[in-house]
């Protein structure tokens, strides 16, 4: 059995000034919340901890290269990297293997530098983890293209990847959700879902992005899971016990009662 602890959408700001525009996103409380989560990790004893994007809450104008506060972009970049280092050092301090993927509120280049260009494929505790760094299209619907699509196709069909898998990504495949005029699932989500089920290799697809969270199970037992956003009280997270048979037990937790 492999135990996976999963949280997502922390929207941390500490070295960066200010907080998330949405007041429910408690950006400046996240370092303390991470300390509490580390205590829970010690009790739960997962084999791996995964974080599926939006580690930080980098303002859109900064991501676009034109900070609205007028400060030099290099100052923002230094602060962004310092905030990513909070996460990097936190993962190391847990003593548990940790995996993270960037989300649409993260600076992908800074993420790559701080996390030392992490591998896209890694084996941990009997499972092969694939990390997909996908992006939003101009219509804000996520897409998997180029090298990421090639890796995805290889995961499902190449002989060397014929192993039980967990896929990590910021965006969701199932269920299809439209809210505030945005489509949260991938552009070709139905085809992606069918291909994964047909492969028989994928045990779980762990995502983020949609803050209310969701959990869907396919006919073969494949789960598509994203816990509610960690940045919002009571700071929820989710734990999966994945058995060799493919059966998965899912438990929801929160830091605050």
């Amino acid at each position: 059995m492999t135990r996976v602890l999963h949280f997502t959408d922390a929207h941390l700001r500490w070295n960066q000034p200010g907080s998330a525009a949405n007041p429910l996103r408690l950006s400046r409380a996240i370092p303390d919340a991470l300390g509490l989560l580390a205590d829970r990790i010690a009790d739960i004893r997962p084999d791996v901890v995964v974080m599926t994007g939006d580690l930080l809450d980098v303002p859109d104008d900064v991501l676009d290269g034109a900070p609205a506060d007028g400060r030099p972009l290099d100052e923002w970049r230094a602060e962004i990297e310092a905030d990513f280092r909070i996460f990097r050092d936190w993962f190391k301090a847990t003593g548990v293997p940790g995996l993270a993927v960037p989300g649409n509120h993260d600076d992908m280049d800074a993420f790559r530098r701080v996390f030392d260009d992490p591998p896209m494929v890694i084996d941990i505790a009997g499972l092969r983890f694939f990390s997909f760094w996908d992006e939003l299209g101009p219509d804000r619907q996520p897409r998997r293209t180029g090298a990421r699509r090639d890796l995805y196709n290889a995961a499902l069909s190449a002989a060397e990847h014929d192993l039980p898998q967990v896929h990590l990504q910021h965006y969701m495949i199932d269920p299809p959700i439209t809210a505030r005029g945005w489509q949260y699932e991938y552009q070709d989500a139905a085809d992606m879902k069918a291909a994964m089920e047909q492969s028989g290799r994928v045990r779980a697809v762990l995502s983020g992005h949609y803050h209310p969270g969701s959990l869907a199970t396919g006919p073969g037992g494949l789960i598509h899971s994203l816990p509610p956003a960690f940045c919002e009280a009571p700071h929820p997270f989710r734990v999966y016990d994945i058995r060799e048979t493919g059966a998965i037990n899912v438990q929801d937790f929160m830091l605050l009662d």
Side-chain angles (χ1 to χ4, degrees):
M1 183 188 78
T2 304
R3 175 165 287 180
V4 180
L5 188 147
H6 174 203
F7 70 113
T8 193
D9 291 84
H11 287 267
L12 178 148
R13 284 201 213 175
W14 190 251
N15 293 282
Q16 298 172 86
S19 187
N22 185 333
L24 294 177
R25 301 177 183 180
L26 306 177
S27 299
R28 305 201 72 80
I30 298 307
D32 287 340
L34 288 174
L36 294 174
L37 182 59
D39 293 339
R40 301 295 292 277
I41 287 170
D43 293 335
I44 293 169
R45 302 177 65 183
D47 297 291
V48 58
V49 176
V50 303
M51 202 290 176
T52 51
D54 285 357
L55 289 75
L56 309 187
D57 190 85
V58 182
D60 287 342
D61 53 280
V62 176
L63 291 173
D64 291 339
D69 66 355
R71 292 191 303 135
L73 188 58
D74 285 348
E75 287 188 19
W76 274 99
R77 286 173 174 159
E79 293 161 355
I80 290 165
E81 291 193 14
D83 279 347
F84 274 134
R85 285 195 292 272
I86 291 173
F87 266 100
R88 182 198 64 189
D89 296 345
W90 177 84
F91 272 114
K92 289 181 179 178
T94 67
V96 178
L99 300 172
V101 296
N104 58 297
H105 286 278
D106 294 317
D107 182 309
M108 200 172 290
D109 291 335
F111 181 97
R112 182 176 283 109
R113 287 191 296 271
V114 171
F115 286 92
D116 197 22
D117 207 10
M120 299 295 106
V121 184
I122 189 169
D123 294 342
I124 301 175
L127 295 172
R128 180 157 292 180
F129 290 82
F130 288 81
S131 295
F132 295 101
W133 296 18
D134 299 311
E135 298 179 277
L136 296 175
D139 58 356
R140 298 193 64 85
Q141 187 172 19
R143 289 160 169 76
R144 179 165 292 165
T145 59
R148 298 179 292 269
R149 174 64 72 166
D150 292 342
L151 177 62
Y152 168 79
N153 290 337
L156 301 188
S157 61
E160 65 265 30
H161 294 313
D162 190 12
L163 295 164
Q165 302 173 6
V166 175
H167 290 195
L168 309 180
Q169 57 206 39
H170 184 56
Y171 306 107
M172 60 195 304
I173 292 174
D174 192 45
I177 291 176
T178 301
R180 298 181 299 166
W182 297 358
Q183 289 181 277
Y184 281 81
E185 79 282 0
Y186 284 83
Q187 188 177 46
D188 56 348
D191 290 340
M192 294 172 72
K193 177 186 174 185
M196 285 189 291
E197 289 176 349
Q198 185 175 4
S199 77
R201 298 178 176 184
V202 187
R203 301 290 184 264
V205 179
L206 309 184
S207 306
H209 192 47
Y210 180 62
H211 282 210
S214 68
L215 179 64
T217 304
L222 166 62
I223 66 166
H224 294 260
S225 177
L226 63 102
F230 187 75
C231 64
E232 300 181 19
H235 305 301
F237 61 98
R238 192 166 277 176
V239 173
Y240 317 95
D241 288 327
I242 305 176
R243 303 189 181 279
E244 292 80 358
T245 60
I248 301 177
N249 181 60
V250 182
Q251 292 180 275
D252 284 302
F253 294 86
M254 60 187 69
L255 290 183
L256 305 177
D257 295 328

